[in-house]
Amino acid sequence: MTEGVFGRHSGHEQVVYCHDEASGLKAIIGIYSTALGPALGGTRFYPYASEDAALDDVLALSKGMAYKNALAGLDLGGGKAVILGDPATIKSEALLRAYGRFVQSLGGRYITACDVGTYVQDMDLVARETKFVTGRSPEDGGAGDSSVLTAYGVYQGMRASADHAWGVPELAGRRVGVAGVGKVGHILVGHLVEAGAQVVITDVSAPAVERTRAAYPGVEVVSDVDTLIRSELDVFAPCALGGVLTDETVAALRAKIVCGAANNQQAHPGVDKLLDDRGILFAPDYLVNAGGVIQVDDERHGFDFARAQRKTTAIFDTTKAVYALAKADGVPPAAAADRLAERRMADVGRLRSILTV
């Protein structure tokens, strides 16, 4: 590592390394903030190239969750966890339950859920060892797959972006490129097709592409993300892993709007300025993809799908508010979203200093 431990973890309340040699568990839990409540965020199971790469990811993702939860109006802080390794080869009951023991040891400061590489059935196993878990299967009293409302929220953010860019909250006739048609992207394609959009897709997984083509035969397919970025699009929707928006891809991008489900889409903090300078409207990812965390938070209070969907629909109005603030302050939308989230963390978080009995 090139930075000191505290420098690298700057702004984070707690970073926990978890290791159980017998099961093969190697995990890192990052807690960015508990100003608004316990830190909720999913568990990503991924074959990272190195421990440093895993640490970088959990630090970025946990900070993003704090902002996401604040902007979504939830009484939750931000956290995230990563399990190092290929879930296809090392995931097991013992490993997941060992992980649950570590989550339990934090005493509720961190609440986990699903993310890339983990599913509701995995959370059911984690829940055998901890009560601080959500995103469970309906058979075990949970809300099921949070991808449903994640995709719905992205769709609402896209409608708000269309309204800002073109004056109408409609996507009929618009050409939308979806990069990644896994759990969330596949459902998003369904919303877009139903809305009358022309949809172009790509994914590194051939089965994911075929599944989407089978469900929606009218979609077009291109070979890779670079080809999609250079295509004639109205909207580009990154729905796979983050970092897709680089200096090079922004220069090549032909879409008017970027609005997708992937976390941490910008490769570095200056990308939002590059997009703004090119007149490309960027819907902050942690704003529009908050439907999933709204769903898993609702599960903690006795899940009601209609209630959770109603809260997720509000992403449309929040997105419009972010664009209005960006225009008023003369800043890119990502900066405006940060300001709204930070304002809520400061204003509401301050109330926790008032002693109650």
Side-chain angles (χ1 to χ4, degrees):
M1 296 183 186
T2 57
E3 301 177 61
V5 171
F6 290 105
R8 196 168 191 190
H9 301 171
S10 178
H12 285 73
E13 292 182 11
Q14 191 173 9
V15 178
V16 180
Y17 286 75
C18 314
H19 182 212
D20 178 59
E21 187 173 0
S23 67
L25 173 71
K26 291 182 179 179
I28 309 173
I29 300 172
I31 297 174
Y32 181 76
S33 171
T34 56
L36 294 176
L40 187 147
T43 298
R44 179 165 294 187
F45 204 142
Y46 190 75
Y48 292 96
S50 67
E51 184 180 301
D52 271 7
L55 177 59
D56 286 341
D57 205 27
V58 78
L59 292 178
L61 291 167
S62 55
K63 180 177 181 179
M65 287 303 304
Y67 282 67
K68 178 186 295 188
N69 293 337
L71 205 55
L74 303 177
D75 293 329
L76 292 169
K80 203 78 170 186
V82 295
I83 298 176
L84 290 72
D86 184 351
T89 59
I90 72 166
K91 186 189 289 185
S92 68
E93 177 185 353
L95 182 148
L96 291 168
R97 292 182 67 165
Y99 171 65
R101 298 285 289 182
F102 282 106
V103 172
Q104 181 66 21
S105 74
L106 294 173
R109 282 178 53 77
Y110 171 63
I111 302 169
T112 197
C114 301
D115 197 74
V116 174
T118 58
Y119 301 87
V120 292
Q121 295 81 5
D122 299 327
M123 293 305 109
D124 288 342
L125 286 173
V126 171
R128 307 251 313 251
E129 302 294 338
T130 181
K131 62 182 178 180
F132 304 115
V133 57
T134 184
R136 299 184 59 191
S137 66
E139 294 80 8
D140 281 322
D145 187 0
S146 62
S147 301
V148 174
L149 287 185
T150 302
Y152 179 71
V154 173
Y155 174 63
Q156 294 302 324
M158 200 177 291
R159 291 181 60 246
S161 300
D163 193 25
H164 186 82
W166 301 305
V168 289
E170 305 296 336
L171 294 160
R174 298 294 178 184
R175 190 169 170 83
V176 182
V178 180
V181 286
K183 290 194 289 187
V184 176
H186 177 83
I187 300 169
L188 177 62
V189 169
H191 288 302
L192 295 170
V193 169
E194 185 177 356
Q198 301 170 22
V199 182
V200 189
I201 67 170
T202 191
D203 199 297
V204 295
S205 167
V209 170
E210 289 308 313
R211 180 175 72 118
T212 303
R213 289 186 67 188
Y216 309 105
V219 302
E220 300 176 40
V221 179
V222 296
S223 58
D224 52 42
V225 176
D226 285 342
T227 302
L228 188 63
I229 285 170
R230 289 168 170 77
S231 301
E232 289 284 355
L233 300 173
D234 293 302
V235 183
F236 173 55
C239 293
L241 296 178
V244 68
L245 297 175
T246 65
D247 294 19
E248 294 74 22
T249 57
V250 169
L253 192 60
R254 303 171 77 175
K256 176 70 175 177
I257 294 169
V258 176
C259 179
N263 288 308
N264 300 321
Q265 294 168 22
Q266 300 180 63
H268 62 81
V271 169
D272 59 339
K273 177 75 164 52
L274 296 176
L275 290 162
D276 205 47
D277 288 345
R278 286 206 58 214
I280 299 171
L281 185 64
F282 176 63
D285 41 55
Y286 73 79
L287 161 62
V288 300
N289 69 14
V293 75
I294 291 171
Q295 176 171 321
V296 296
D297 177 58
D298 195 86
E299 179 182 312
R300 297 168 59 230
H301 310 288
F303 184 61
D304 181 282
F305 183 83
R307 179 178 61 197
Q309 186 176 43
R310 185 169 60 251
K311 293 177 184 177
T312 305
T313 302
I315 288 174
F316 178 94
D317 293 327
T318 307
T319 304
K320 294 278 287 181
V322 165
Y323 292 149
L325 180 62
K327 182 177 180 180
D329 288 1
V331 297
D338 285 354
R339 290 179 184 183
L340 284 178
E342 288 163 0
R343 187 180 302 167
R344 183 166 184 265
M345 281 190 274
D347 291 349
V348 180
R350 178 193 60 80
L351 300 178
R352 303 189 77 188
S353 67
I354 301 173
L355 181 64
T356 60
V357 179

